[in-house]
Amino acid sequence: MLRRFGLGRAKTPKQVAQFDESYYLASQWQLIWRKFRRHRLAMISALVIIFLYSLAIFPEFYSINDHHKRHVKYAKAPPHTVRFVDDEGNFHLNPFIYDMTQKLDMDTLKRNYTEDRTKRYPIRFFVEGESYRLLGLIDTNIHLMGVDEPAVFFPFGTDELGRDLFSRTMHAARISLSIGFLGMVTSFVLGCLIGGVSGYFGGTVDIIVQRVIEFLVSIPHIPLIMALSAAFPPEWSSTQVYFGITVVLAIVSWPPLARAVRGKLLELREADFVMAARISNMGDMEIIIKHLLPSFASFLIVVLSLAVPGMILAETALSFLQIGIRPPAVSWGVLLQDAQNIRSLSQSPWLLIPGLFVIATVLAFNFLGDGLRDAADPYKQ
């Protein structure tokens, strides 16, 4: 029976008693963690999200080339094939690539790339390359991988200007993932404060707040986001557009969270621990922040984890439609602009690779949210 529930081999009565004792003495967060660990898909998704955000924090380290540098000789070059076995059938423990040569088809004006099997270049790890500032603080030139000159390495191929798509995808992760995170934080603060005030005080304040929320919710989100983004002045810098989009996404996202917080506070505002806080002369805002919101923090975490992918998708869509992040800044939506027509896709299908990162991110956050939602009620079997 114990083995059926994933508790390993059959335990002795003493071990069962110790397990039961630790279960009943565990805190709420310990119980949530225990249940979350049993959700394998959510655990894997959490690792995927950690990896993706490591790309966003250290894109220069993971990049092979400068993401703005143009390799004219390799415009629209396909991804290099990483090999372990050479033409003679010899296995190499260290992966390698062959150099590529380009030939222009005069009939179709299409660049055809072929591997030069006479030149083999091993892929080296933790190599020296172009200098950069790690986290904007530390000067270094160490990159995760690379090849010896004069060869170049393009794991995801290049775009029509010869820029390394792999390095651009790494740098694009910084903008796409950070917009989702910052938008979520801003939405969280607005939703908790406005919803908390509405649910705690009630009366006229609650009526006004709810009418404002109903007005915002009644507006179609996609046209609203597009209209607000298109209203950005053309002379705005990439940084200004970045923060502008973050604010727009937060404005659209906070009403549902505020309504959920209001409902929870209406349920809890007459609880005994709230009355005790009032008797001790604690301020209203202090009661909301220190007592009421933490009492359903697990619920808020689930809501936030499910809100992030929506913001990432919104930014990607805006940038894809050229009303979001503007070049030379890069996001996954900006990179997908090159895949807008059938001709580009037929000749360079690797331009869709940034879209795979979007899909992986959204799925990982959704699976993580499912795991958190199940773990938020640790007493439910």
Side-chain angles (χ1 to χ4, degrees):
M1 180 64 69
L2 291 172
R3 192 171 298 179
R4 284 185 57 193
F5 290 97
L7 298 180
R9 293 177 296 179
K11 293 179 169 50
T12 64
K14 181 179 180 180
Q15 290 175 322
V16 173
Q18 291 176 346
F19 175 81
D20 291 340
E21 182 180 0
S22 65
Y23 178 84
Y24 290 115
L25 294 178
S27 65
Q28 178 81 1
W29 291 106
Q30 289 174 330
L31 294 175
I32 290 175
W33 171 241
R34 286 184 180 183
K35 190 170 183 180
F36 178 75
R37 283 188 305 177
R38 296 203 297 267
H39 199 299
R40 294 186 179 180
L41 194 56
M43 289 292 294
I44 295 174
S45 299
L47 295 176
V48 171
I49 292 173
I50 292 173
F51 170 71
L52 290 172
Y53 271 95
S54 73
L55 298 181
I57 297 173
F58 308 107
E60 299 89 356
F61 170 72
Y62 289 102
S63 299
I64 299 174
N65 307 285
D66 184 350
H67 66 293
H68 289 308
K69 184 177 180 180
R70 300 182 180 183
H71 302 83
V72 181
K73 292 174 56 179
Y74 298 95
K76 285 191 174 182
H80 276 98
T81 301
V82 179
R83 302 178 182 275
F84 289 88
V85 180
D86 58 24
D87 289 346
E88 299 177 356
N90 298 320
F91 177 80
H92 299 267
L93 188 61
N94 190 31
F96 64 91
I97 62 170
Y98 288 117
D99 195 10
M100 285 193 298
T101 58
Q102 177 195 145
K103 185 177 180 181
L104 183 64
D105 188 336
M106 299 306 298
D107 295 330
T108 61
L109 297 180
K110 179 182 177 182
R111 298 181 180 91
N112 296 319
Y113 290 90
T114 57
E115 290 183 329
D116 184 357
R117 299 301 181 92
T118 63
K119 299 178 181 179
R120 178 167 54 86
Y121 295 92
I123 299 175
R124 307 191 185 281
F125 296 92
F126 301 101
V127 298
E128 295 184 355
E130 298 181 0
S131 300
Y132 61 91
R133 293 178 65 86
L134 187 66
L135 297 176
L137 301 173
I138 305 172
D139 291 322
T140 182
N141 62 348
I142 302 300
H143 297 262
L144 176 63
M145 58 183 175
V147 294
D148 296 332
E149 296 182 349
V152 289
F153 181 31
F154 304 123
F156 293 171
T158 63
D159 60 13
E160 59 182 5
L161 298 178
R163 295 172 297 191
D164 180 17
L165 188 59
F166 178 85
S167 300
R168 290 175 66 79
T169 302
M170 300 300 104
H171 281 80
R174 170 175 290 175
I175 289 182
S176 294
L177 294 177
S178 62
I179 278 186
F181 179 77
L182 291 178
M184 176 267 293
V185 171
T186 307
S187 174
F188 173 78
V189 174
L190 291 175
C192 288
L193 289 180
I194 298 176
V197 169
S198 176
Y200 182 78
F201 291 101
T204 305
V205 174
D206 184 36
I207 293 175
I208 295 174
V209 171
Q210 292 309 304
R211 298 298 80 78
V212 172
I213 291 177
E214 289 171 0
F215 173 75
L216 292 175
V217 173
S218 65
I219 303 175
H221 284 183
I222 295 179
L224 176 62
I225 294 174
M226 293 178 63
L228 293 176
S229 299
F232 294 155
E235 63 272 11
W236 273 19
S237 66
S238 299
T239 304
Q240 290 174 313
V241 173
Y242 171 85
F243 285 105
I245 291 178
T246 303
V247 172
V248 168
L249 295 178
I251 290 175
V252 174
S253 302
W254 73 261
L257 178 60
R259 180 168 287 179
V261 171
R262 170 185 177 268
K264 289 290 185 179
L265 261 67
L266 287 175
E267 178 184 348
L268 296 173
R269 67 180 183 179
E270 302 300 332
D272 293 340
F273 68 92
V274 177
M275 298 300 295
R278 289 175 181 168
I279 293 174
S280 62
N281 293 324
M282 184 174 291
D284 293 327
M285 291 302 297
E286 193 174 2
I287 292 176
I288 293 175
I289 295 174
K290 288 188 176 181
H291 292 282
L292 288 173
L293 291 179
S295 65
F296 55 94
S298 58
F299 168 79
L300 295 177
I301 293 174
V302 173
V303 172
L304 293 177
S305 66
L306 295 175
V308 173
M311 295 187 178
I312 294 175
L313 284 175
E315 181 279 323
T316 302
L318 291 174
S319 299
F320 178 77
L321 296 174
Q322 301 183 11
I323 55 177
I325 300 298
R326 303 168 184 170
V330 289
S331 69
W332 289 333
V334 171
L335 296 181
L336 289 173
Q337 290 178 10
D338 295 333
Q340 284 186 347
N341 56 75
I342 298 298
R343 182 179 178 182
S344 297
L345 290 179
S346 62
Q347 295 182 353
S348 309
W350 54 86
L351 295 177
L352 282 176
I353 290 178
L356 300 179
F357 280 80
V358 177
I359 295 173
T361 303
V362 173
L363 287 177
F365 270 108
N366 284 329
F367 290 142
L368 177 65
D370 289 341
L372 291 174
R373 182 167 50 198
D374 294 340
D377 188 2
Y379 302 102
K380 183 179 178 180
Q381 298 297 328

